[in-house]
Protein backbone atom coordinates (compact mmCIF):
# COMPACT_ATOMS: atom_id res chain seq x y z
CA UNK A 1 0.00 0.00 0.00
CA UNK A 2 1.17 3.53 -0.80
CA UNK A 3 3.24 5.04 2.01
CA UNK A 4 1.15 8.22 2.15
CA UNK A 5 -2.01 6.21 2.83
CA UNK A 6 -0.31 4.17 5.57
CA UNK A 7 0.96 7.35 7.22
CA UNK A 8 -2.50 8.90 7.21
CA UNK A 9 -4.09 5.77 8.68
CA UNK A 10 -1.45 5.01 11.32
CA UNK A 11 -1.83 8.14 13.44
CA UNK A 12 -3.00 7.70 17.03
CA UNK A 13 -6.67 8.60 17.28
CA UNK A 14 -8.25 10.41 20.22
CA UNK A 15 -9.92 7.17 21.28
CA UNK A 16 -6.62 5.28 21.13
CA UNK A 17 -4.82 7.98 23.11
CA UNK A 18 -7.39 7.67 25.89
CA UNK A 19 -6.73 3.92 25.98
CA UNK A 20 -2.96 4.50 26.10
CA UNK A 21 -3.54 6.98 28.93
CA UNK A 22 -5.19 4.29 31.01
CA UNK A 23 -8.83 3.98 29.93
CA UNK A 24 -10.04 0.43 30.56
CA UNK A 25 -11.75 -1.06 27.52
CA UNK A 26 -13.51 0.70 24.68
CA UNK A 27 -15.69 3.77 25.09
CA UNK A 28 -19.02 2.10 24.38
CA UNK A 29 -20.76 5.44 23.87
CA UNK A 30 -18.83 5.96 20.64
CA UNK A 31 -20.49 2.93 19.09
CA UNK A 32 -24.02 2.59 20.48
CA UNK A 33 -26.60 3.97 22.92
CA UNK A 34 -28.03 0.53 23.64
CA UNK A 35 -27.17 -1.89 26.42
CA UNK A 36 -26.33 -4.64 23.91
CA UNK A 37 -23.16 -3.96 21.96
CA UNK A 38 -24.51 -3.61 18.44
CA UNK A 39 -22.29 -1.18 16.54
CA UNK A 40 -24.73 1.43 15.30
CA UNK A 41 -24.33 2.88 11.81
CA UNK A 42 -26.04 6.09 12.97
CA UNK A 43 -23.18 6.64 15.42
CA UNK A 44 -20.40 6.07 12.90
CA UNK A 45 -21.76 7.32 9.57
CA UNK A 46 -22.00 11.01 8.77
CA UNK A 47 -25.52 12.05 7.78
CA UNK A 48 -26.17 11.56 4.06
CA UNK A 49 -23.27 9.16 3.50
CA UNK A 50 -23.67 5.59 2.27
CA UNK A 51 -20.14 4.48 3.15
CA UNK A 52 -17.51 5.64 5.60
CA UNK A 53 -13.96 4.62 6.41
CA UNK A 54 -12.80 4.13 9.98
CA UNK A 55 -9.51 2.78 11.29
CA UNK A 56 -9.74 -0.16 13.65
CA UNK A 57 -9.14 0.81 17.29
CA UNK A 58 -5.83 -0.62 18.49
CA UNK A 59 -4.35 -1.36 21.94
CA UNK A 60 -7.57 -2.81 23.36
CA UNK A 61 -9.63 -5.98 23.37
CA UNK A 62 -12.79 -5.23 21.39
CA UNK A 63 -15.54 -7.25 23.10
CA UNK A 64 -18.20 -9.37 21.42
CA UNK A 65 -20.42 -7.27 19.20
CA UNK A 66 -22.57 -7.21 16.07
CA UNK A 67 -23.17 -4.52 13.43
CA UNK A 68 -26.40 -3.13 11.94
CA UNK A 69 -24.65 -2.58 8.61
CA UNK A 70 -22.41 -4.54 6.27
CA UNK A 71 -18.79 -4.29 7.35
CA UNK A 72 -15.79 -4.82 5.12
CA UNK A 73 -12.43 -4.89 6.90
CA UNK A 74 -9.10 -4.60 5.07
CA UNK A 75 -5.71 -5.26 6.68
CA UNK A 76 -3.33 -2.52 5.53
CA UNK A 77 -0.33 -3.77 7.52
CA UNK A 78 0.43 -6.21 10.32
CA UNK A 79 -2.32 -8.56 11.46
CA UNK A 80 -5.36 -8.77 13.72
CA UNK A 81 -7.02 -11.76 15.36
CA UNK A 82 -10.81 -11.98 15.20
CA UNK A 83 -13.14 -14.45 16.91
CA UNK A 84 -16.26 -14.70 14.72
CA UNK A 85 -19.07 -16.93 15.98
CA UNK A 86 -16.45 -18.79 18.00
CA UNK A 87 -14.07 -19.33 15.06
CA UNK A 88 -10.60 -17.74 15.11
CA UNK A 89 -9.76 -15.77 11.98
CA UNK A 90 -6.39 -14.08 11.49
CA UNK A 91 -6.35 -11.14 9.09
CA UNK A 92 -2.91 -10.58 7.60
CA UNK A 93 -1.62 -7.76 5.40
CA UNK A 94 -3.64 -7.64 2.17
CA UNK A 95 -6.54 -9.77 3.48
CA UNK A 96 -10.10 -8.55 3.50
CA UNK A 97 -13.24 -9.84 5.15
CA UNK A 98 -16.99 -9.23 4.73
CA UNK A 99 -19.09 -9.65 7.87
CA UNK A 100 -22.73 -10.69 7.89
CA UNK A 101 -24.90 -8.49 10.13
CA UNK A 102 -25.68 -11.51 12.29
CA UNK A 103 -22.03 -12.38 12.91
CA UNK A 104 -20.87 -12.05 16.53
CA UNK A 105 -17.31 -10.76 16.53
CA UNK A 106 -14.62 -9.92 19.03
CA UNK A 107 -11.12 -8.68 18.23
CA UNK A 108 -7.93 -9.21 20.23
CA UNK A 109 -5.70 -6.20 20.93
CA UNK A 110 -3.68 -4.87 18.00
CA UNK A 111 -0.31 -3.12 18.20
CA UNK A 112 0.68 0.25 16.71
CA UNK A 113 1.86 -1.39 13.48
CA UNK A 114 -1.33 -3.44 13.02
CA UNK A 115 -3.36 -1.10 10.82
CA UNK A 116 -6.79 -2.17 9.62
CA UNK A 117 -9.63 -0.14 8.13
CA UNK A 118 -13.33 -0.79 8.46
CA UNK A 119 -15.73 0.16 5.69
CA UNK A 120 -19.14 0.96 7.20
CA UNK A 121 -21.59 0.37 4.34
CA UNK A 122 -25.32 0.99 3.94
CA UNK A 123 -27.35 -1.30 1.64
CA UNK A 124 -27.99 1.41 -0.97
CA UNK A 125 -24.27 1.74 -1.63
CA UNK A 126 -24.30 -1.69 -3.30
CA UNK A 127 -26.93 -0.77 -5.91
CA UNK A 128 -24.34 0.11 -8.55
CA UNK A 129 -22.25 -2.95 -7.71
CA UNK A 130 -25.23 -5.29 -8.04
CA UNK A 131 -26.15 -3.72 -11.38
CA UNK A 132 -22.61 -4.46 -12.55
CA UNK A 133 -22.96 -8.05 -11.31
CA UNK A 134 -26.26 -8.79 -13.07
CA UNK A 135 -26.31 -12.32 -14.43
CA UNK A 136 -23.45 -13.47 -12.21
CA UNK A 137 -24.17 -16.58 -10.18
CA UNK A 138 -21.91 -16.60 -7.13
CA UNK A 139 -21.62 -17.37 -3.46
CA UNK A 140 -20.33 -13.85 -2.87
CA UNK A 141 -23.35 -12.11 -4.42
CA UNK A 142 -25.76 -14.40 -2.56
CA UNK A 143 -23.90 -13.72 0.70
CA UNK A 144 -24.04 -9.95 0.26
CA UNK A 145 -27.73 -9.98 -0.60
CA UNK A 146 -28.35 -12.22 2.39
CA UNK A 147 -26.32 -9.87 4.60
CA UNK A 148 -28.28 -6.85 3.48
CA UNK A 149 -31.49 -8.70 4.26
CA UNK A 150 -30.19 -9.81 7.67
CA UNK A 151 -30.53 -13.43 6.68
CA UNK A 152 -28.86 -16.07 8.78
CA UNK A 153 -28.64 -19.10 6.51
CA UNK A 154 -25.43 -18.13 4.72
CA UNK A 155 -21.87 -17.92 6.00
CA UNK A 156 -21.28 -15.41 8.81
CA UNK A 157 -18.22 -14.07 7.02
CA UNK A 158 -16.22 -14.25 3.81
CA UNK A 159 -12.46 -14.01 4.29
CA UNK A 160 -10.39 -13.39 1.15
CA UNK A 161 -6.65 -14.14 1.28
CA UNK A 162 -5.78 -12.01 -1.73
CA UNK A 163 -2.56 -10.22 -0.79
CA UNK A 164 -0.95 -11.54 -3.98
CA UNK A 165 -3.78 -10.45 -6.32
CA UNK A 166 -2.64 -7.06 -7.63
CA UNK A 167 -5.94 -5.91 -9.23
CA UNK A 168 -7.78 -6.45 -5.93
CA UNK A 169 -5.10 -4.65 -3.94
CA UNK A 170 -5.20 -1.72 -6.37
CA UNK A 171 -8.99 -1.47 -6.20
CA UNK A 172 -9.03 -1.51 -2.38
CA UNK A 173 -6.33 1.16 -2.32
CA UNK A 174 -8.37 3.24 -4.80
CA UNK A 175 -11.45 2.86 -2.60
CA UNK A 176 -9.53 3.94 0.51
CA UNK A 177 -8.00 6.88 -1.35
CA UNK A 178 -11.40 7.97 -2.65
CA UNK A 179 -12.87 7.93 0.86
CA UNK A 180 -9.92 9.77 2.40
CA UNK A 181 -10.02 12.57 -0.17
CA UNK A 182 -12.90 14.87 -1.01
CA UNK A 183 -13.09 14.38 -4.78
CA UNK A 184 -15.71 15.54 -7.30
CA UNK A 185 -18.16 12.75 -8.08
CA UNK A 186 -16.57 10.52 -5.47
CA UNK A 187 -19.81 8.68 -4.58
CA UNK A 188 -20.25 7.34 -8.12
CA UNK A 189 -16.55 6.63 -8.40
CA UNK A 190 -16.50 4.73 -5.10
CA UNK A 191 -19.61 2.73 -6.01
CA UNK A 192 -18.10 1.72 -9.35
CA UNK A 193 -14.84 0.80 -7.62
CA UNK A 194 -16.77 -1.45 -5.22
CA UNK A 195 -18.50 -3.10 -8.19
CA UNK A 196 -15.15 -3.77 -9.86
CA UNK A 197 -13.79 -5.14 -6.58
CA UNK A 198 -16.68 -7.60 -6.20
CA UNK A 199 -16.33 -8.71 -9.82
CA UNK A 200 -12.63 -9.37 -9.23
CA UNK A 201 -13.38 -11.34 -6.07
CA UNK A 202 -15.71 -13.60 -8.05
CA UNK A 203 -12.62 -14.76 -9.94
CA UNK A 204 -10.84 -15.76 -6.74
CA UNK A 205 -13.27 -17.94 -4.80
CA UNK A 206 -10.39 -20.39 -4.42
CA UNK A 207 -8.77 -17.83 -2.09
CA UNK A 208 -11.88 -17.49 0.05
CA UNK A 209 -12.65 -18.91 3.46
CA UNK A 210 -16.10 -18.58 4.98
CA UNK A 211 -17.81 -18.88 8.30
CA UNK A 212 -19.03 -22.38 7.69
CA UNK A 213 -17.97 -25.92 8.48
CA UNK A 214 -14.54 -26.53 6.91
CA UNK A 215 -15.78 -29.52 4.93
CA UNK A 216 -18.86 -27.66 3.72
CA UNK A 217 -16.67 -24.73 2.66
CA UNK A 218 -14.24 -26.91 0.72
CA UNK A 219 -17.02 -28.92 -0.92
CA UNK A 220 -19.01 -25.84 -1.99
CA UNK A 221 -16.00 -24.00 -3.38
CA UNK A 222 -14.86 -27.11 -5.28
CA UNK A 223 -18.29 -27.45 -6.89
CA UNK A 224 -18.53 -23.75 -7.78
CA UNK A 225 -15.01 -23.65 -9.19
CA UNK A 226 -15.63 -26.78 -11.24
CA UNK A 227 -18.77 -25.27 -12.78
CA UNK A 228 -17.02 -21.93 -13.32
CA UNK A 229 -14.20 -23.58 -15.26
CA UNK A 230 -16.12 -26.40 -16.98
CA UNK A 231 -19.58 -25.02 -17.68
CA UNK A 232 -19.36 -25.89 -21.38
CA UNK A 233 -18.81 -29.62 -21.11
CA UNK A 234 -18.57 -30.46 -17.39
CA UNK A 235 -20.69 -33.28 -16.01
CA UNK A 236 -21.88 -34.39 -12.61
CA UNK A 237 -20.13 -37.70 -13.24
CA UNK A 238 -16.78 -36.03 -13.85
CA UNK A 239 -17.22 -33.82 -10.77
CA UNK A 240 -18.02 -36.91 -8.70
CA UNK A 241 -14.83 -38.58 -9.90
CA UNK A 242 -12.88 -35.44 -8.99
CA UNK A 243 -14.36 -35.60 -5.49
CA UNK A 244 -13.92 -39.39 -5.40
CA UNK A 245 -17.56 -39.76 -4.36
CA UNK A 246 -20.68 -41.50 -5.64
CA UNK A 247 -22.78 -39.47 -8.12
CA UNK A 248 -25.95 -39.82 -6.06
CA UNK A 249 -24.15 -38.66 -2.90
CA UNK A 250 -22.60 -35.65 -4.66
CA UNK A 251 -25.95 -34.68 -6.16
CA UNK A 252 -27.59 -34.82 -2.75
CA UNK A 253 -24.78 -32.84 -1.08
CA UNK A 254 -24.89 -30.10 -3.71
CA UNK A 255 -28.61 -29.61 -3.09
CA UNK A 256 -28.05 -29.65 0.66
CA UNK A 257 -25.11 -27.20 0.65
CA UNK A 258 -26.24 -24.74 -2.04
CA UNK A 259 -30.02 -25.07 -2.12
CA UNK A 260 -29.80 -25.86 -5.85
CA UNK A 261 -29.25 -28.94 -7.97
CA UNK A 262 -26.14 -29.43 -10.09
CA UNK A 263 -28.27 -28.84 -13.19
CA UNK A 264 -29.61 -25.55 -11.79
CA UNK A 265 -26.11 -24.31 -10.91
CA UNK A 266 -24.79 -25.30 -14.35
CA UNK A 267 -27.71 -23.71 -16.14
CA UNK A 268 -27.31 -20.52 -14.12
CA UNK A 269 -23.65 -20.23 -15.10
CA UNK A 270 -24.37 -20.99 -18.77
CA UNK A 271 -27.11 -18.37 -18.95
CA UNK A 272 -24.85 -15.89 -17.16
CA UNK A 273 -22.17 -16.48 -19.79
CA UNK A 274 -24.76 -16.19 -22.56
CA UNK A 275 -25.90 -12.77 -21.34
CA UNK A 276 -22.28 -11.63 -21.13
CA UNK A 277 -21.62 -12.67 -24.74
CA UNK A 278 -24.87 -11.12 -25.93
CA UNK A 279 -23.95 -7.82 -24.31
CA UNK A 280 -20.21 -7.71 -24.96
CA UNK A 281 -19.71 -9.44 -28.31
CA UNK A 282 -21.17 -9.68 -31.80
CA UNK A 283 -21.20 -13.47 -31.83
CA UNK A 284 -24.28 -14.90 -33.56
CA UNK A 285 -26.76 -16.40 -31.11
CA UNK A 286 -26.22 -19.84 -32.67
CA UNK A 287 -22.50 -19.61 -31.91
CA UNK A 288 -23.18 -18.46 -28.35
CA UNK A 289 -25.42 -21.47 -27.78
CA UNK A 290 -22.58 -23.77 -28.84
CA UNK A 291 -19.97 -21.82 -26.86
CA UNK A 292 -21.82 -22.25 -23.57
CA UNK A 293 -22.38 -25.96 -24.03
CA UNK A 294 -25.85 -26.43 -25.52
CA UNK A 295 -26.54 -28.34 -28.74
CA UNK A 296 -30.31 -27.93 -28.68
CA UNK A 297 -31.20 -24.36 -29.67
CA UNK A 298 -34.93 -24.82 -28.99
CA UNK A 299 -34.17 -25.84 -25.42
CA UNK A 300 -31.84 -22.86 -24.97
CA UNK A 301 -34.42 -20.37 -26.29
CA UNK A 302 -37.03 -21.86 -23.96
CA UNK A 303 -34.97 -21.66 -20.76
CA UNK A 304 -33.57 -18.24 -21.69
CA UNK A 305 -37.04 -16.75 -22.11
CA UNK A 306 -38.25 -18.43 -18.95
CA UNK A 307 -35.35 -16.88 -17.03
CA UNK A 308 -35.31 -13.36 -18.53
CA UNK A 309 -38.79 -12.97 -20.01
CA UNK A 310 -37.46 -12.05 -23.47
CA UNK A 311 -35.58 -13.75 -26.31
CA UNK A 312 -31.76 -13.58 -26.66
CA UNK A 313 -32.19 -11.22 -29.61
CA UNK A 314 -34.39 -8.88 -27.58
CA UNK A 315 -31.93 -9.07 -24.69
CA UNK A 316 -29.11 -7.92 -27.00
CA UNK A 317 -31.22 -5.16 -28.56
CA UNK A 318 -32.29 -3.80 -25.18
CA UNK A 319 -28.67 -3.90 -23.93
CA UNK A 320 -29.76 -5.54 -20.68
Amino acid sequence: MHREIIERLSGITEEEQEILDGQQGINKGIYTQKSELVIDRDKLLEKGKLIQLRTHTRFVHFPKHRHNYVELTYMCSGQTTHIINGEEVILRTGDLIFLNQNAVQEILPATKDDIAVNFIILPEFFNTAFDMMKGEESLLKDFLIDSLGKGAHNASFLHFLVADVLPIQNLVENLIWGLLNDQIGKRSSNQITMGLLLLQLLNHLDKMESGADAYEREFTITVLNYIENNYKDGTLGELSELLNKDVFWVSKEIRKRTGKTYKELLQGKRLSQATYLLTNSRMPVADIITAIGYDNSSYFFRIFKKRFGISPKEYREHGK
Side-chain angles (χ1 to χ4, degrees):
M1 177 163 284
H2 196 281
R3 182 180 299 177
E4 181 180 344
I5 296 178
I6 290 292
E7 289 176 355
R8 290 180 65 176
L9 295 174
S10 62
I12 302 296
T13 66
E14 182 179 336
E15 180 187 12
E16 290 174 333
Q17 189 59 57
E18 291 175 353
I19 292 168
L20 292 172
D21 290 341
Q23 174 183 290
Q24 297 298 309
I26 64 167
N27 180 353
K28 190 176 177 182
I30 294 175
Y31 303 98
T32 185
Q33 296 287 358
K34 301 178 180 179
S35 56
E36 182 186 4
L37 188 51
V38 178
I39 311 300
D40 188 357
R41 62 193 189 184
D42 292 333
K43 297 286 287 183
L44 301 182
L45 264 173
E46 292 180 27
K47 189 174 182 179
K49 288 192 173 183
L50 300 180
I51 184 171
Q52 188 132 339
L53 189 71
R54 191 178 195 278
T55 55
H56 168 65
T57 302
R58 296 164 290 183
F59 316 117
V60 68
H61 174 266
F62 211 104
K64 289 183 179 180
H65 62 279
R66 293 187 294 107
H67 314 85
N68 64 4
Y69 53 86
V70 176
E71 183 175 77
L72 166 62
T73 298
Y74 176 75
M75 202 71 218
C76 302
S77 67
Q79 68 177 47
T80 48
T81 300
H82 304 244
I83 312 297
I84 306 173
N85 289 359
E87 182 176 348
E88 182 177 282
V89 179
I90 299 176
L91 244 61
R92 296 182 171 85
T93 302
D95 287 1
L96 56 86
I97 188 168
F98 287 89
L99 280 180
N100 185 292
Q101 294 179 64
N102 286 294
V104 177
Q105 177 192 36
E106 63 179 303
I107 310 167
L108 302 187
T111 69
K112 185 176 186 299
D113 296 325
D114 299 322
I115 303 169
V117 290
N118 299 322
F119 297 88
I120 301 150
I121 310 172
L122 294 189
E124 306 93 281
F125 182 79
F126 288 103
N127 290 346
T128 298
F130 287 154
D131 282 342
M132 294 168 68
M133 296 169 70
K134 276 183 178 177
E136 294 290 342
E137 299 290 332
S138 75
L139 180 63
L140 176 62
K141 182 181 177 184
D142 289 346
F143 169 82
L144 288 175
I145 293 174
D146 187 59
S147 293
L148 299 180
K150 299 184 179 180
H153 68 274
N154 273 346
S156 54
F157 66 85
L158 295 181
H159 176 200
F160 287 90
L161 294 80
V162 288
D164 60 340
V165 184
L166 186 58
I168 290 176
Q169 297 301 314
N170 287 340
L171 287 165
V172 175
E173 185 168 321
N174 289 342
L175 191 56
I176 292 173
W177 180 264
L179 292 169
L180 287 175
N181 296 279
D182 193 16
Q183 300 171 320
I184 296 175
K186 67 176 184 178
R187 175 177 288 187
S188 295
S189 175
N190 291 335
Q191 287 179 304
I192 291 170
T193 301
M194 177 62 78
L196 293 172
L197 174 61
L198 298 185
L199 286 169
Q200 280 289 336
L201 290 173
L202 295 185
N203 296 320
H204 297 282
L205 292 179
D206 59 317
K207 295 179 179 293
M208 183 192 78
E209 295 181 352
S210 62
D213 174 80
Y215 169 75
E216 178 181 344
R217 178 170 62 227
E218 182 179 354
F219 178 87
T220 303
I221 291 175
T222 298
V223 170
L224 292 175
N225 280 337
Y226 175 82
I227 292 173
E228 184 72 26
N229 296 317
N230 301 278
Y231 62 84
K232 181 178 180 180
D233 50 17
T235 66
L236 181 59
E238 184 178 71
L239 174 60
S240 300
E241 289 182 12
L242 178 66
L243 294 167
N244 197 28
K245 298 289 185 179
D246 175 78
V247 171
F248 177 77
W249 183 91
V250 171
S251 178
K252 185 178 177 181
E253 283 294 296
I254 290 174
R255 182 63 179 266
K256 178 181 177 182
R257 306 297 181 186
T258 69
K260 296 181 179 180
T261 65
Y262 174 82
K263 182 179 179 180
E264 289 170 338
L265 290 172
L266 181 65
Q267 185 179 101
K269 174 58 188 177
R270 285 176 169 177
L271 290 177
S272 170
Q273 187 65 14
T275 59
Y276 175 82
L277 293 172
L278 286 167
T279 305
N280 297 282
S281 79
R282 296 183 178 181
M283 287 178 65
V285 174
D287 291 347
I288 291 176
I289 293 171
T290 301
I292 64 172
Y294 288 119
D295 54 16
N296 185 327
S297 58
S298 296
Y299 175 72
F300 170 78
F301 284 119
R302 186 166 67 252
I303 63 172
F304 190 95
K305 189 160 188 178
K306 181 179 179 181
R307 172 69 179 275
F308 300 107
I310 56 177
S311 70
K313 181 181 178 182
E314 292 170 322
Y315 190 99
R316 173 172 272 168
E317 289 173 348
H318 285 76
K320 290 273 186 174

